[in-house]
């Protein structure tokens, strides 16, 4: 077992046993479930909208290169700069160079999981540049010096009281009460100063519109517009899979994204940006850069079985529905993208040997499949990852032996009956001599937290025949 797999199991066990944590997550996720169910009713045909969104994203994935080149031509024609970053190192280096050339001392950043993926903040801070997160949830986890807990709601795991205590410690001059509204107002007062001091704004992108040459950004707090329009330099950092063919596609993708993520009909602020400030315009940046990040995405694209993972629009719906995520939380995964989508993508991009264990953090209930707005069959990809994990020789010897025996036994009814008879005999004999259920091999993990059921004397098949099918 790899070190990362061991760390995951330890963190998952701790969080699963933390009833306060589980209650907080349940309360917050339940509120999203209610809002999303209500939000879907606003659509005349929710399934038709999912089908349309899946088709658009599928078309984009199949035509990634020409659509990105079309997007690039239009951004450059308006005076913007487009940089193709093959790796996270490339992206960090380019952005740091832009900051150095512009003598940047302070950066404001709107929510972007890609900047988490490339570890951008530590790189900028090494240059002596102060970076402030401007999304409220991101600011909270930044002040706690921890990564986002959730793709859409980074501070989902915290209570109002925890945030109040944090702000009293970190933002005492801006505190003027402890209600929800007063805590938001404290963050706003603090961030206003940061917005007006910053020389550079960094944002992500929800979509890159090829035919319009526009970056589409969705936010709920207005921080995105201030980040992209107040500083004199604006840098967009985004994965190459965010491109879509047409502006008209946003008519479905924007509401589908908002409804799946938070239950809203559409996010409060929906912004399109196509370049730097043009002559005669009164606002907008003097410099505009778009960093198109690959960082393993073309490897996913090259895999015909799993390239549909690039359809993901990062709504977070699969996390909210996943029973594993709801139990162990976001930080246990130790990845930029937790939950089902992260467990499917991370082993492909970062290596099956170190990250393949995440594909087993799934009960295969398929709840994630049912809520994905672009119809990604996440459970199928997790199974495919498990197949790769085993075929590449990374599975434990005990698992290989166990499943070999299981395959042999289930290949014939007599073998299966023999294995069942032998298993019942051994288990009953072990319990009869006082052996703890916790020591019974494969049953140990199960019985550690649950009572050992009585071992039946007869198999189900024998009982069926004995009672002639009547129970």
């Amino acid at each position: 077992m790899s070190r990362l797999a061991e760390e995951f199991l330890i963190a998952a066990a701790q969080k699963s046993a933390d009833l306060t944590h589980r209650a907080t997550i349940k309360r917050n996720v339940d509120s999203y479930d209610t809002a999303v169910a209500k939000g879907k009713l606003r659509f005349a045909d929710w399934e038709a909208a999912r089908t349309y969104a899946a088709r658009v994203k599928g078309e984009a994935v199949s035509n990634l290169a020409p659509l990105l080149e079309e997007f690039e031509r239009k951004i450059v024609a308006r005076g913007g700069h487009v940089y193709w970053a093959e790796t996270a190192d490339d992206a960090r280096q380019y952005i740091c160079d832009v900051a150095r050339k512009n003598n940047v001392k302070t950066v404001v950043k709107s929510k972007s999981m890609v900047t988490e993926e490339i570890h951008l903040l530590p790189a900028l801070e090494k240059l002596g540049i102060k970076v402030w997160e401007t999304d409220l949830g991101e600011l909270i986890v930044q002040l706690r010096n921890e990564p986002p807990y959730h793709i859409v709601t980074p501070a989902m795991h915290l209570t109002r009281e925890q945030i109040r205590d944090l702000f009293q410690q970190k933002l005492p001059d801006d505190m003027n009460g402890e209600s929800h509204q007063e805590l938001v107002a404290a963050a706003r007062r603090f961030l206003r100063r940061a917005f007006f001091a910053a020389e550079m704004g960094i944002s992500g992108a929800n979509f890159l519109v090829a035919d319009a040459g526009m970056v589409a950004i969705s936010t709920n707090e207005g921080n995105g517009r201030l980040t992209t329009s107040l500083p004199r330099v604006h840098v967009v950092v985004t994965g190459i899979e965010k491109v879509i063919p047409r502006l008209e596609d946003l008519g479905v993708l924007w509401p589908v994204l908002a409804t799946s993520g938070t239950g809203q009909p559409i996010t409060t602020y929906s912004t399109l940006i196509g370049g730097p400030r043009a002559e005669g315009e009164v606002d907008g940046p003097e410099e505009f850069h778009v960093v198109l990040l690959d960082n393993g995405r073309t490897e996913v694209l090259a895999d015909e079985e799993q390239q549909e993972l690039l359809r993901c629009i990062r709504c977070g719906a699969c996390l909210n529905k996943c029973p594993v995520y709801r139990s162990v939380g976001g930080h246990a995964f130790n990845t930029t993208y937790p939950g089902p989508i992260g467990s499917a993508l991370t082993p492909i991009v970062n290596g099956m040997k170190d990250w393949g264990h995440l594909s087993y953090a799934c009960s295969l209930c398929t709840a994630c499949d049912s809520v994905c707005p672009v119809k990604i069959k996440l459970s199928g990809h997790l199974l495919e990852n498990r197949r790769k994990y085993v075929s590449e020789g990374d599975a434990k010897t005990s698992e290989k032996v166990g499943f070999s025996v299981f395959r042999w036994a289930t290949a014939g009814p007599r073998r299966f009956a023999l294995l069942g008879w032998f298993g019942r005999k051994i288990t009953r004999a072990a319990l009869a001599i006082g052996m703890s259920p916790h020591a019974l091999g494969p049953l140990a993990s199960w019985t550690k937290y649950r009572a050992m059921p009585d071992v039946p004397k007869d198999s189900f098949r024998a009982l069926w025949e004995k009672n002639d099918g009547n129970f």
Side-chain angles (χ1 to χ4, degrees), residues 12-316:
Q14 290 173 341
K15 282 300 178 186
S16 297
D18 184 343
L19 299 184
T20 302
H21 170 265
R22 291 182 64 170
T24 303
I25 298 308
K26 184 178 186 309
R27 182 173 61 252
N28 289 330
V29 172
D30 283 352
S31 69
Y32 280 117
D33 285 347
T34 302
V36 170
K38 187 177 177 181
K40 289 178 180 176
L41 297 177
R42 298 190 187 99
F43 286 75
D45 189 335
W46 172 247
E47 284 306 311
R50 286 181 75 206
T51 301
Y52 182 93
R55 188 170 67 244
V56 169
K57 287 296 293 181
E59 177 187 350
V61 170
S62 299
N63 299 279
L64 210 56
L67 290 175
L68 287 167
E69 288 167 0
E70 183 181 4
F71 169 82
E72 179 186 31
R73 283 195 299 274
K74 296 190 174 175
I75 292 290
V76 171
R78 296 192 194 99
H81 306 271
V82 175
Y83 181 75
W84 298 71
E86 184 177 350
T87 65
D89 284 342
D90 289 343
R92 282 196 305 269
Q93 189 62 52
Y94 180 81
I95 298 165
C96 287
D97 287 346
V98 171
R100 273 193 292 254
K101 288 175 185 173
N102 285 279
N103 195 28
V104 170
K105 301 297 181 190
T106 305
V107 168
V108 284
K109 186 174 88 58
S110 67
K111 191 171 186 315
S112 162
M113 293 306 293
V114 173
T115 58
E116 298 289 336
E117 177 184 335
I118 65 174
H119 305 292
L120 180 60
L121 267 63
L124 289 169
E125 288 174 346
K126 275 188 179 178
L127 299 177
I129 298 171
K130 186 61 196 175
V131 185
W132 287 113
E133 297 283 357
T134 62
D135 173 270
L136 179 58
E138 292 278 358
L139 175 65
I140 290 168
V141 294
Q142 181 185 25
L143 293 175
R144 286 172 59 92
N145 194 31
E146 63 183 29
Y149 183 90
H150 187 283
I151 292 174
V152 175
T153 47
M156 174 190 278
H157 57 307
L158 301 175
T159 63
R160 182 180 64 82
E161 289 74 21
Q162 288 173 303
I163 296 169
R164 174 203 63 197
D165 294 344
L166 177 72
F167 279 13
Q168 284 175 345
Q169 181 186 357
K170 301 288 185 177
L171 310 176
D173 295 339
D174 295 297
M175 287 287 283
N176 190 24
E178 57 182 57
S179 68
H180 287 97
Q181 294 80 1
E182 288 162 334
L183 292 175
V184 170
R188 183 182 291 123
R189 282 189 286 273
F190 173 77
L191 287 174
R192 286 283 163 169
R193 295 194 296 274
F195 281 124
F196 286 106
E199 298 92 358
M200 177 188 278
I202 297 175
S203 73
N206 293 101
F207 302 103
L208 306 172
V209 186
D211 71 348
M214 291 280 180
V215 176
I217 299 175
S218 303
T219 66
N220 276 316
E221 300 165 12
N223 63 304
R225 287 191 179 172
L226 292 171
T227 298
T228 58
S229 59
L230 279 179
R232 55 186 166 82
V233 181
H234 175 202
V235 179
V236 180
V237 194
T238 179
I240 56 176
E241 80 282 9
K242 295 293 183 71
V243 73
I244 60 172
R246 296 164 294 270
L247 187 64
E248 66 191 47
D249 296 328
L250 288 177
V252 173
L253 289 173
W254 254 340
V256 162
L257 171 64
T259 298
S260 295
T262 59
Q264 294 170 275
I266 195 168
T267 50
T268 310
Y269 297 87
S270 299
T271 306
L272 288 166
I273 305 168
R277 180 194 310 173
E279 187 175 348
E281 292 181 338
V282 296
D283 59 9
E286 297 168 11
E287 279 191 30
F288 180 74
H289 301 258
V290 180
V291 178
L292 299 174
L293 179 70
D294 183 328
N295 204 32
R297 288 163 173 79
T298 51
E299 292 180 32
V300 182
L301 182 65
D303 187 334
E304 292 185 2
E305 297 292 326
Q306 296 194 274
Q307 64 175 217
E308 75 164 10
L309 287 168
L310 295 178
R311 288 187 206 163
C312 177
I313 57 174
R314 305 289 191 267
C315 66

Side-chain angles (χ1 to χ4, degrees), residues 453-467:
D454 293 334
V455 181
K457 288 177 62 176
D458 299 313
S459 67
F460 177 79
R461 179 193 294 266
L463 290 172
W464 180 274
E465 292 175 350
K466 182 178 177 182
N467 295 289

Side-chain angles (χ1 to χ4, degrees), residues 402-433:
F403 279 103
S404 295
V405 172
F406 182 77
R407 182 172 58 185
W408 172 83
T410 53
R414 290 187 177 179
R415 297 177 191 173
F416 187 75
L418 177 64
L419 188 69
W421 175 84
F422 190 69
R424 289 193 301 277
K425 289 285 185 186
I426 291 292
T427 305
R428 292 177 67 194
L431 295 174
I433 63 174

